[in-house]
Amino acid sequence: MSRIATAFALGIVIATFFLDTSAAWISLAVATCCIMAIVATLFIHHPAKRHLTTPLVMLSTMACGSSYTLTYKIINHTVYPSHIAQYDIVITSEPIIRTNSIGLNGIIASGHYEGKKVSLAFEKDSTAMALTPGMGIEALCMLKKPAGPNDDPRFTLHRQSQGIAFFAFLSHHNYRKKAVSTRGLTLWERARIGALTIRHKAICTLRDNGLNGDALATVSAMVLADKSHLSQKVYDSFSSSGAAHVLALSGTHLSILFFLITIFVKPIRSKWYVRAFTIITIWGYVFLVGLPTSAVRAAVMLSWLTMTRIYSKSSSQLHNISLTALILMIANPMAIFDISLQMSMMAVIAIVTLVTPLTGSLMNKIELMGIHLFHLSEGNALKYVVSATILTIVAQTATAPLAAYYFGRLPLYFILTNFITLPLATIVIYLTMVILVMSPLPIVPSMATPILQAIVSLLNNLLAAISSLPFAAVRIECISLPVLLFLYLAGFIIVTYLQLKQRKQVNNSKFNKIH
């Protein structure tokens, strides 16, 4: 499965950078796919030529990825209007206060561009500040091509992965609030708008219970995937200390939720209906926070893991990762250019591949050195510390080239940061869930909110202190794409060599025992 997913992704990259959307290229890709698939099928029945089956299947999958991406680009091709027009737009985000404007996202609900997403910049006023997800506006504006600073190609592809088709600036006299019908939108988009409306109510519930300031902003980002209230100061402290991943809803957050569910249903967790409830709960949470790609990736993996347990079948974690990536690429070929997904996938692949063997190897060396600590727990405490340290180093190393490519910043105190952050983040997530679920009973939130406020404030202060240490984050000039690819290729070759060497040593050890 990993080969299939890699070939499909390579086909997407080829179509994105080297092919246009002409019918000739699509026809060639489809023809190549069909021919390679037929030849590979024929070779399966010829033992002498069976070794050619795998490369042919991969070439066929690559052609599939290219043709699928080109077709997707044709279907979603956008022609930018040349004149000002009136549009009905439904707001799909919380307002973000910028220096000279207020930023919001929306979706066009009628007309020729119905269903297209638009990034909006409003002139600062109280009306724009009061806009929330689910509200409608009637806007008179010119829809333009979205562009970032200097139209940086690294972030252009990221924006395409988010599905943002247009940008528009609205002064206070160019729009007004309006009850906009969403009937023309797809069922998926209508459901997503409904989920974002519920998320806004959850943020309001936290605010009404007394959570405020940077604590509210941090909890909203960490638990509800809404970074609109996050100040630049808080974000910089998380980023410089190496804790930015905590603010991006991903596998860590869903794993904490998954663990919480398993605690409550432990006596009956093997029942199929309990596992089905677990899957529904996880996807309900992902849907509530607006379906960020990294969270969808984690939800697919956890769902697959839960289903394999229902049917008592084993499945390798690398297989699960590959299947998840393939599903996401089929849903949206541009998803592989999403920055959070790239970093999440690289971290998970590295953790799955390296953490267990490195932990075992280091523990063996510790025992050989005669260091026997924590006898009462048979070394479990020491093993936990070793495993957590290795996991942090592996995940940070795997994502370091991407961080250097996109942001030009590498945190150096990430081990210390993660030992502080992860336990506190777990408590924050659990307390937030308690406040939201128990909000009909005011006494529970009133008791839990001050505790949550204190813990989040402690977390923010600790990370601010770490980020202020000397050499907390090394700023480097952003590396180029060829350098990024070279670093990952070199890492792949080194890891493959070490794995082959370890496998050879294990086989030699077994051979010596037999003889």
Side-chain angles (χ1 to χ4, degrees):
M1 182 58 72
S2 59
R3 294 175 181 177
I4 295 295
T6 302
F8 196 85
L10 188 57
I12 293 174
V13 172
I14 291 172
T16 302
F17 289 101
F18 302 108
L19 305 180
D20 56 34
T21 54
S22 65
W25 282 113
I26 298 177
S27 301
L28 180 61
V30 172
T32 303
C33 173
C34 294
I35 292 171
M36 293 297 179
I38 292 171
V39 175
T41 304
L42 293 175
F43 281 178
I44 290 175
H45 303 288
H46 294 275
K49 299 180 180 180
R50 192 170 293 174
H51 63 282
L52 297 174
T53 302
T54 299
L56 288 173
V57 168
M58 291 187 66
L59 285 173
S60 175
T61 306
M62 193 187 305
C64 276
S66 294
S67 58
Y68 185 76
T69 303
L70 293 172
T71 304
Y72 179 89
K73 290 170 72 174
I74 289 175
I75 293 173
N76 293 278
H77 177 66
T78 301
V79 177
Y80 298 97
S82 57
H83 58 279
I84 296 175
Q86 185 173 293
Y87 304 95
D88 289 341
I89 300 173
V90 179
I91 302 300
T92 59
S93 73
E94 300 284 341
I96 300 175
I97 302 176
R98 298 180 180 135
T99 305
N100 300 315
S101 64
I102 296 173
L104 282 159
N105 289 333
I107 184 168
I108 300 174
S110 61
H112 179 69
Y113 297 110
E114 183 179 82
K116 296 287 187 180
K117 295 179 182 178
V118 55
S119 175
L120 301 168
F122 289 81
E123 190 175 36
K124 280 189 174 181
D125 60 19
S126 57
T127 305
M129 279 297 300
L131 294 174
T132 59
M135 287 187 175
I137 61 170
E138 184 181 71
L140 185 67
C141 59
M142 168 81 81
L143 297 178
K144 300 179 180 180
K145 181 180 179 180
N150 301 321
D151 204 16
D152 194 322
R154 295 171 300 169
F155 298 100
T156 300
L157 290 173
H158 173 73
R159 283 193 301 275
Q160 290 179 14
S161 74
Q162 305 301 303
I164 302 295
F166 298 109
F167 168 80
F169 177 80
L170 296 173
S171 59
H172 64 275
H173 60 272
N174 282 345
Y175 74 95
R176 66 181 181 89
K177 288 184 180 180
K178 178 184 177 182
V180 175
S181 173
T182 59
R183 290 182 180 179
L185 302 179
T186 63
L187 179 62
W188 178 263
E189 289 294 349
R190 281 182 284 167
R192 183 172 177 271
I193 291 171
L196 291 171
T197 304
I198 296 172
R199 184 181 75 173
H200 173 73
K201 291 179 180 178
I203 296 172
C204 291
T205 299
L206 294 173
R207 184 186 293 113
D208 293 341
N209 280 292
L211 198 65
N212 53 59
D214 286 337
L216 175 62
T218 304
V219 170
S220 298
M222 190 182 298
V223 184
L224 298 173
D226 174 36
K227 300 179 184 177
S228 60
H229 305 286
L230 207 62
S231 67
Q232 190 63 43
K233 179 182 177 182
V234 172
Y235 180 80
D236 286 342
S237 67
F238 272 78
S239 180
S240 298
S241 62
H245 62 281
V246 178
L247 297 176
L249 200 90
S250 60
T252 302
H253 304 72
L254 292 187
S255 297
I256 291 172
L257 177 62
F258 184 82
F259 180 68
L260 178 63
I261 296 171
T262 56
I263 289 176
F264 282 109
V265 300
K266 189 174 183 178
I268 55 173
R269 63 183 178 183
S270 59
K271 303 294 184 180
W272 70 267
Y273 52 83
V274 174
R275 298 196 183 281
F277 169 77
T278 302
I279 294 174
I280 292 171
T281 303
I282 289 171
W283 277 103
Y285 176 60
V286 172
F287 201 77
L288 170 65
V289 299
L291 295 164
T293 310
S294 56
V296 171
R297 189 272 309 163
V300 172
M301 285 191 63
L302 285 173
S303 301
W304 182 256
L305 176 64
T306 304
M307 286 189 291
T308 54
R309 287 181 177 177
I310 291 176
Y311 296 103
S312 301
K313 293 182 178 180
S314 60
S315 179
S316 72
Q317 291 177 308
L318 195 58
H319 174 86
N320 292 342
I321 296 170
S322 302
L323 179 63
T324 301
L326 191 60
I327 291 172
L328 292 175
M329 288 186 289
I330 291 173
N332 177 11
M334 303 306 291
I336 64 170
F337 300 109
D338 180 85
I339 297 173
S340 63
L341 179 66
Q342 290 176 2
M343 300 189 79
S344 177
M345 292 294 287
M346 291 308 304
V348 172
I349 291 172
I351 289 170
V352 168
T353 307
L354 297 175
V355 169
T356 300
L358 287 176
T359 302
S361 176
L362 188 55
M363 288 299 294
N364 290 335
K365 289 181 179 179
I366 289 174
E367 291 178 5
L368 289 174
M369 292 167 62
I371 302 176
H372 298 287
L373 302 179
F374 305 99
H375 287 291
L376 292 177
S377 60
E378 298 181 354
N380 285 339
L382 177 61
K383 186 175 181 180
Y384 170 79
V385 173
V386 171
S387 179
T389 304
I390 290 176
L391 186 148
T392 302
I393 294 173
V394 165
Q396 199 72 33
T397 303
T399 57
L402 284 171
Y405 176 68
Y406 286 112
F407 311 116
R409 175 189 293 180
L410 295 175
L412 298 184
Y413 298 125
F414 57 86
I415 297 178
L416 172 63
T417 296
N418 280 279
F419 272 110
I420 294 172
T421 302
L422 293 180
L424 292 178
T426 302
I427 298 172
V428 167
I429 292 172
Y430 288 164
L431 280 177
T432 304
M433 293 297 178
V434 168
I435 293 171
L436 293 176
V437 172
M438 302 301 291
S439 58
L441 303 174
I443 188 170
V444 177
S446 64
M447 294 172 61
T449 301
I451 300 173
L452 178 61
Q453 179 94 23
I455 292 174
V456 177
S457 298
L458 174 63
L459 175 62
N460 287 343
N461 290 335
L462 288 173
L463 294 182
I466 293 174
S467 65
S468 64
L469 293 174
F471 308 107
V474 177
R475 292 186 177 275
I476 59 175
E477 190 171 333
C478 293
I479 63 175
S480 63
L481 181 59
V483 173
L484 175 71
L485 296 176
F486 171 78
L487 289 174
Y488 277 117
L489 179 61
F492 173 77
I493 293 172
I494 292 171
V495 170
T496 303
Y497 169 76
L498 293 176
Q499 286 181 332
L500 292 174
K501 185 178 179 180
Q502 184 182 29
R503 192 177 303 170
K504 185 177 179 180
Q505 290 175 347
V506 171
N507 292 335
N508 290 338
S509 178
K510 289 180 179 180
F511 179 80
N512 292 333
K513 286 181 179 180
I514 294 173
H515 293 80

